[in-house]
Amino acid sequence: QVQLVESGGGLAQAGGSLRLSCAASGSISSINSMGWYRQAPGKQRELVAAITSGGSPKYADSVKGRFTISRDNAKNTVYLQMNSLKPEDTAVYYCNGGIIKRGSYFPQEYWGQGTQVTVSS
């Protein structure tokens, strides 16, 4: 079984910072792209940032210059450093990964359980 477990959410003031972590565990052979999505109340889930296995990042326009995604392949962990937070960043943040399980040849998509980020004005 493969699991993605997020941590690091919470409450921050506008202009503040939070760092999210997501660790993948289980019977893992390799991990392709990993990313962070978010879903605010009444809105669709949207991509925040993603990073390839080689470390190439991409960002939603709304977070460019404020958020930084990184990963530690040895720890099967992806991070999201969120700076200059705004109230509109308030959402549940979900970790996502394309993971190839041991004994398999094709990646499957896995999701974490989500972590709440609330930014007060």
Side-chain angles (χ1 to χ4, degrees):
Q1 187 69 306
V2 172
Q3 281 189 313
L4 296 179
V5 179
E6 300 113 335
S7 59
L11 177 65
Q13 290 189 329
S17 298
L18 286 173
R19 188 188 194 216
L20 305 183
S21 299
C22 171
S25 63
S27 183
I28 297 171
S29 175
S30 62
I31 304 177
N32 294 342
S33 180
M34 298 186 81
W36 291 94
Y37 288 71
R38 67 186 180 188
Q39 188 167 19
K43 294 189 176 181
Q44 288 190 330
R45 190 173 297 189
E46 63 175 0
L47 175 68
V48 176
I51 187 166
T52 66
S53 57
S56 296
K58 66 175 180 180
Y59 299 95
D61 288 343
S62 59
V63 306
K64 280 181 183 175
R66 300 188 298 120
F67 291 9
T68 302
I69 189 170
S70 61
R71 65 189 284 173
D72 184 334
N73 290 333
K75 295 181 179 180
N76 289 337
T77 300
V78 63
Y79 306 95
L80 186 68
Q81 178 65 44
M82 305 185 292
N83 298 328
S84 302
L85 283 162
K86 303 176 180 181
E88 51 263 44
D89 294 319
T90 295
V92 178
Y93 284 69
Y94 296 91
C95 175
N96 171 273
I99 297 174
I100 300 174
K101 293 175 63 175
R102 289 197 186 108
S104 177
Y105 295 97
F106 304 102
Q108 290 180 276
E109 188 175 47
Y110 290 88
W111 291 90
Q113 80 284 358
T115 185
Q116 177 70 46
V117 171
T118 303
V119 183
S120 62
S121 58

